[in-house]
Amino acid sequence: HGVYQIKTEEQYYNFIKANPTKLVVIKFFATYCRACRSLEPKLLMVKKDEKLNGLPIVWGEYASTKANKDLFQQLRVLTLPTIHFYDGSRATLVENFPCGPAKIPLLKKKLARFINSRVDPDTLKLEPVTPVAAKDQTKNDETESPEARVTRRIIDNELITPEHFDFLRNKLPFFRDMPENDFD
């Protein structure tokens, strides 16, 4: 249950693919980076937190080198240290944020949000993302409810579910006060 050391691009992709039932947390860092070194003991404390015991989380770290500079840029790792969360069930990036030692509270909040939304409290397993049924071709868009139309939205090749819209609409302060017709 340690932290996996990722050394190559192939290992990076294989690490994510090898964990389809877990939240994959990867720290991108550099050995020369003071903030990265300062983050290490605090991140270790988070990893060893008793509240996370038994939860479907796997931890990895990937050191920046000249050889992987282009990959880091492609992955939008713009500053070090950076943390990525991947939904292992879809091998999809769900969080990408710079995470120096002072941002450990943010890391904990993001972990808690993902765990609360995707981990079954009884089984402590990652709940699969339920695919939305295909649109019934006999229905007319004008007669469908807004909720039915929302279930089919695809933005940048990502399926946006009612849960996504509900989270945006009701949980994020920026959208909370927005008029309904502007949000739709």
Side-chain angles (χ1 to χ4, degrees):
H1 291 287
V3 177
Y4 293 88
Q5 303 297 313
I6 301 166
K7 300 197 183 292
T8 66
E9 182 175 351
E10 183 180 4
Q11 287 178 350
Y12 162 79
Y13 287 113
N14 287 339
F15 182 62
I16 295 168
K17 288 179 195 170
N19 291 289
T21 60
K22 299 189 185 322
L23 166 63
V24 178
V25 180
I26 299 177
K27 175 185 76 170
F28 295 86
F29 72 102
T31 55
Y32 58 81
C33 168
R34 281 180 62 192
C36 299
R37 288 193 307 267
S38 297
L39 174 65
E40 186 60 31
K42 293 180 179 192
L43 191 59
L44 191 58
M45 286 175 51
V46 171
K47 185 187 166 305
K48 290 183 175 184
D49 188 326
E50 288 182 17
K51 295 175 191 168
L52 300 179
N53 281 347
L55 292 176
I57 302 172
V58 64
W59 303 81
E61 58 183 27
Y62 198 174
S64 175
T65 64
K66 287 181 183 178
N68 62 23
K69 180 181 174 185
D70 291 339
L71 175 64
F72 276 40
Q73 288 177 345
Q74 179 185 344
L75 297 172
R76 296 189 181 119
V77 175
L78 305 176
T79 186
L80 296 174
T82 288
I83 300 286
H84 278 188
F85 289 179
Y86 292 88
D87 178 341
S89 68
R90 298 183 298 158
T92 304
L93 178 66
V94 292
E95 290 286 351
N96 173 8
F97 60 99
C99 187
K103 293 202 177 172
I104 286 293
L106 176 64
L107 171 69
K108 289 179 177 179
K109 282 182 187 178
K110 289 178 180 285
L111 268 172
R113 187 174 351 164
F114 184 88
I115 290 166
N116 291 335
S117 68
R118 291 291 312 285
V119 174
D120 182 304
D122 298 324
T123 65
L124 298 181
K125 293 187 177 188
L126 189 65
E127 294 177 334
V129 177
T130 30
V132 178
K135 177 183 170 190
D136 181 352
Q137 298 298 323
T138 61
K139 287 186 179 180
N140 181 333
D141 277 349
E142 294 174 11
T143 61
E144 287 181 301
S145 70
E147 294 79 21
R149 286 194 300 271
V150 165
T151 62
R152 296 187 331 277
R153 292 224 177 136
I154 296 178
I155 300 172
D156 291 334
N157 291 327
E158 287 290 327
L159 178 64
I160 308 300
T161 66
E163 292 82 18
H164 292 118
F165 278 96
D166 179 60
F167 175 77
L168 290 171
R169 184 74 179 118
N170 300 311
K171 306 282 192 230
L172 294 180
F174 177 80
F175 294 113
R176 202 176 297 144
D177 299 328
M178 187 179 284
E180 193 66 39
N181 58 345
D182 287 348
F183 189 75
D184 195 36

